[in-house]
Amino acid sequence: MATVTLVGSFNVDHVWRCEQLPAAGATIAGRYDTGPGGKGFNQAVAAARAGAQVRFLCALGDDAGGALARGLAQAEGIDLRVQLGDEPTGTAGIYVDAMGRNSIVIGAGANGLLASEFIAVQGEAVQTAKVLLVQLESPAETVLASLKLARENGVLTVLNPAPANAHTYAELLDQADLLTPNETEFSALLARHVGERVEPDDVAALDGQRLHALCREVHPKGTVVITLGATGVFVSHADDQHRGDGKAFYRHPAESVTAVDTTGAGDAFNGALVASLAHAPQAAFAEHVRYANRYAALSTERAGAALAMPSQADVLARFG
Ligand code: ATP
């Protein structure tokens, strides 16, 4: 199995399902649930279940949340490299209303202390991977150090620029071979780096040539893969690097599934994409997109994020 290394976040998610989101000053009733989360961990589990050998570099507290992460990583066969700190393990407080809308508060905790020095100490884990996948729930300088180290060693770099409100300075984008925003994140990147206003809801409907041109402005030298929810995916390659696709841009439609919970669909897509890239780096890029698109579609048929990720066998059984 080919190795994928992730650098990112682990959170303990505390979820309250309630009729309406609580207003300021209100006390309301809700159904409580807890489980693992964090974009880094969700994507690590997806990559492992999608068929990759996974190393996951993260920061945890010396507490029950940290123990949860270690136990789950072991069960998933993920090689966990932990920076232990004085802060508690990251947490997310999530309220979900009857319409499926949510309000989320993140307590970064240990995630906020993940240090570039730790990445340097664990350098071999990055240098010897086939693919590096990072998100923006860790300090920007740590994400940048990870991308640079990977790049210097010929490792393919993938930046999932999520969440949308995180700081994405141009140097981060420059270090990524692939950029994988959803519509909201792409809209934020356009506003920040190109000075162009396109509402998230309008991204999918843009003419292909226009969307490609905007992708080229956001990320001139690399590939951009925009995930478009139930609409599928848009891929835009740099002019001199079509990654075996033979064309500069295209749409790939979503699979037809009965979606019950799309939480973590983006994480599923990213994990499966890097697992596929690591497994068959010479394959046409469209093949990797097809696999990730199928994997992510299946993930929406089950409620939950990390623990609801499908296996490689599930994808084969469903789509052949
Ligand atoms: P999240 O933030 O909840 O993790 P996201 O907004 O980052 O999700 P989306 O763009 O909604 O990610 O979805 C990622 C991918 O998952 C899509 O590109 C598609 O491949 C698949 N997907 C999502 N929703 C559906 C759906 N309803 N039917 C089929 N596939 C879906």
Side-chain angles (χ1 to χ4, degrees):
M1 280 198 287
T3 300
V4 166
T5 294
L6 289 97
V7 175
S9 58
F10 174 86
N11 288 331
V12 179
D13 285 353
H14 299 277
V15 185
W16 287 268
R17 295 183 192 281
C18 21
E19 261 318 292
Q20 290 176 347
L21 301 178
T27 301
I28 61 170
R31 199 158 42 81
Y32 174 76
D33 199 5
T34 184
K39 288 181 188 299
F41 185 74
N42 290 346
Q43 295 179 15
V45 172
R49 293 192 183 179
Q53 185 78 49
V54 174
R55 296 178 192 134
F56 181 43
L57 279 56
C58 64
L60 300 171
D62 186 12
D63 52 20
L68 175 70
R70 290 173 196 275
L72 290 169
Q74 194 175 16
E76 297 291 336
I78 294 171
D79 175 359
L80 194 68
R81 310 283 177 98
V82 177
Q83 176 191 302
L84 253 192
D86 296 334
E87 288 279 323
T89 298
T91 49
I94 305 171
Y95 300 103
V96 185
D97 74 7
M99 310 276 288
R101 290 175 301 208
N102 58 36
S103 296
I104 302 177
V105 182
I106 301 267
N111 293 317
L113 299 181
L114 186 63
S116 44
E117 290 78 10
F118 176 70
I119 306 304
V121 169
Q122 293 289 335
E124 148 281 335
V126 174
Q127 291 162 333
T128 58
K130 283 266 193 316
V131 185
L132 173 79
L133 172 59
V134 292
Q135 322 74 27
L136 300 174
E137 285 185 338
S138 308
E141 59 275 15
T142 307
V143 176
L144 182 60
S146 308
L147 288 167
K148 279 188 167 167
L149 184 60
R151 263 283 176 87
E152 285 160 13
N153 289 277
V155 178
L156 187 78
T157 55
V158 183
L159 169 61
N160 175 224
N165 59 2
H167 196 51
T168 49
Y169 48 89
E171 207 184 348
L172 273 179
L173 304 188
D174 288 347
Q175 294 294 330
D177 295 313
L178 313 181
L179 198 60
T180 59
N182 66 13
E183 293 142 297
T184 309
E185 291 141 13
F186 186 68
S187 170
L189 289 172
L190 274 179
R192 214 170 290 143
H193 296 281
V194 186
E196 187 98 26
R197 247 190 99 102
V198 178
E199 292 302 320
D201 286 349
D202 297 336
V203 171
L206 285 177
D207 167 69
Q209 191 72 53
R210 167 93 178 118
L211 194 48
H212 175 56
L214 291 173
C215 289
R216 293 302 91 228
E217 288 202 57
V218 167
H219 194 36
K221 294 194 201 128
T223 292
V224 180
V225 181
I226 309 176
T227 59
L228 303 166
T231 311
V233 182
F234 182 81
V235 177
S236 164
H237 293 300
D239 295 335
D240 59 346
Q241 169 63 286
H242 290 180
R243 300 187 183 279
D245 280 345
K247 53 189 167 186
F249 66 89
Y250 54 94
R251 288 176 199 274
H252 189 93
E255 296 290 344
S256 173
V257 291
T258 311
V260 296
D261 181 5
T262 62
T263 314
D267 293 335
F269 185 92
N270 277 278
L273 183 70
V274 294
S276 181
L277 283 161
H279 175 68
Q282 302 309 328
F285 193 74
E287 288 299 311
H288 305 305
V289 170
R290 192 165 65 123
Y291 180 67
N293 191 57
R294 288 176 166 180
Y295 186 92
L298 268 194
S299 79
T300 70
E301 290 195 330
R302 304 181 199 166
L307 300 182
M309 294 295 173
S311 68
Q312 195 176 18
D314 293 334
V315 180
L316 274 175
R318 180 65 165 271
F319 299 106

